[in-house]
Amino acid sequence: MEQVRAGIARAKSPFVPPPGLLENITGVRGVHVRSDDEQASDLAVAAAVEALDMAGTGIGDVDLLLFASSAQDLVEPATAHIVAAKLGALCPVFDVKNACNSVLNAIETAAAFIETGRYGTILIACGETATLTTRWHVPDYETFMHHLPGYTVSDAGAALLLTAGPAGPDDPGVLRTVFAADSSSWDACTVAAGGSMHPRSTNDDHVCLRLNENELNQSGRRTVQLVLSYASDEVALVRSSAFVAVHQISMPQFHEACAALDLPASRFQATVDKYGNAASASLPLQLSLAQQADRVMPGDVVALVGLASGFSMGLVLIRL
């Protein structure tokens, strides 16, 4: 009689973070997720319609439409075309893409076009679908930490309308812009799939947001110190402004940004705890909440401080 021995290969159980771990690390209590049938363009269109209605401007009066976001509907064509088609716009369009600084770079681009007289009315529309980059199944704690940013991101839409007007010292408009980058750290925080490196990857490390926290933090601190040192006039305006919006990825990072600018948290609007990291919609979200709460009024100077993987930093000062 032969002996028969059966072996069973047991799959390793996936890592499940204990309750409260994510909030303890990041301070984020929840995120907002789009519905299954909503695209980045839909979120941008909803915000654009609201912005146009508030300004009393018709889509036919828009001279240029910029879609500014880390997200996109398709690799090709530019998502700006899809947004324009849904709005019924017939103006020129293009995408502005620089991770979480996309909206901030679009403001700089729009302001430059208006200052040169190229366009008079420019609509910036943003639709972020960052929750698509969340990795829901991880084998261990180390992998969980590498993908940590993906658990705090939110889907969101935002829109801004910039128009030509008087250029007096007390008139509304974009006052100053300052940008800096340390591109040697481009690989510190990535979503790798979809480009020429990994065009059709099914590897979770490629299709999900992945972080090298130490490298990103080091690059961020270098770039922030560079801007604080060499843009002293603009930083002084930031510190004296009525309100400061700063890109937020976690509550510890939010408090670190307040400290770096040497300002109390009361000068800012914390949003990441309730709304998550809304990517490039983060700054318009904070400004909108400040306006709704009457924290800022027409004539006030507000500062927008952007931080983005890559790594880049930007300051934009606006008189409302």
Side-chain angles (χ1 to χ4, degrees):
M1 179 73 67
E2 290 120 346
Q3 292 182 330
V4 178
R5 294 184 174 87
I8 300 175
R10 299 186 183 276
K12 185 177 180 181
S13 298
F15 172 76
V16 178
L21 176 63
L22 192 61
E23 183 177 349
N24 289 340
I25 295 174
T26 68
V28 177
R29 299 195 295 270
V31 300
H32 291 250
V33 181
R34 69 188 177 99
S35 62
D36 290 340
D37 60 348
E38 278 185 310
Q39 308 302 320
S41 59
D42 293 319
L43 299 174
V45 165
V49 168
E50 184 175 339
L52 290 168
D53 286 346
M54 290 176 63
T57 302
I59 190 62
D61 297 321
V62 174
D63 300 317
L64 175 69
L65 187 155
L66 304 178
F67 177 75
S69 175
S70 63
Q72 58 192 21
D73 281 12
L74 303 167
V75 172
E76 189 177 345
T79 304
H81 287 289
I82 304 174
V83 173
K86 291 178 177 178
L87 288 171
L90 300 175
C91 60
V93 307
F94 61 89
D95 287 0
V96 177
K97 189 179 183 69
N98 184 21
C100 295
N101 271 344
S102 297
V103 166
L104 213 58
N105 284 119
I107 293 173
E108 181 184 40
T109 303
F113 275 132
I114 290 173
E115 288 168 8
T116 60
R118 183 69 180 87
Y119 298 108
T121 301
I122 300 177
L123 175 62
I124 299 171
C126 169
E128 292 288 7
T129 54
T131 59
L132 290 172
T133 66
T134 302
R135 181 170 179 173
W136 295 112
H137 303 286
V138 293
D140 49 44
Y141 177 79
E142 182 179 359
T143 307
F144 169 79
M145 292 302 296
H146 276 309
H147 293 276
L148 183 65
Y151 304 112
T152 62
V153 292
S154 275
D155 300 332
L160 298 165
L161 189 68
L162 278 70
T163 57
D170 297 322
D171 289 316
V174 178
L175 304 179
R176 302 279 186 92
T177 62
V178 177
F179 286 87
D182 178 4
S183 299
S184 63
S185 299
W186 68 266
D187 58 349
C189 187
T190 60
V191 179
S196 59
M197 287 187 183
H198 308 285
R200 295 178 179 84
S201 177
T202 58
N203 184 326
D204 282 342
D205 270 354
H206 294 161
V207 300
C208 299
L209 193 61
R210 192 174 193 278
L211 172 70
N212 180 329
E213 187 173 11
N214 289 336
E215 183 179 355
L216 188 67
N217 286 341
Q218 290 172 10
S219 177
R221 291 189 178 100
R222 285 197 302 269
T223 308
V224 168
Q225 289 305 315
L226 178 69
V227 171
L228 293 178
S229 299
Y230 290 95
S232 56
D233 290 347
E234 288 79 6
V235 172
L237 288 173
V238 169
R239 290 178 173 142
S240 65
S241 62
F243 175 76
V244 182
V246 62
H247 181 60
Q248 300 171 32
I249 61 174
S250 70
M251 286 304 294
Q253 174 268 331
F254 167 70
H255 290 298
E256 185 176 345
C258 297
L261 289 168
D262 195 25
L263 292 172
S266 59
R267 294 281 302 283
F268 302 78
Q269 172 77 55
T271 54
V272 70
D273 54 342
K274 295 180 181 178
Y275 298 95
N277 174 4
S280 65
S282 171
L283 299 179
L285 168 64
Q286 294 169 55
L287 181 56
S288 176
L289 292 174
Q291 289 176 316
Q292 292 172 28
D294 292 330
R295 293 186 59 188
V296 292
M297 300 292 177
D300 284 344
V301 174
V302 299
L304 309 180
V305 182
L307 307 166
S309 58
F311 179 90
S312 68
M313 179 181 178
L315 303 179
V316 171
L317 289 139
I318 301 173
R319 188 185 306 280
L320 299 178

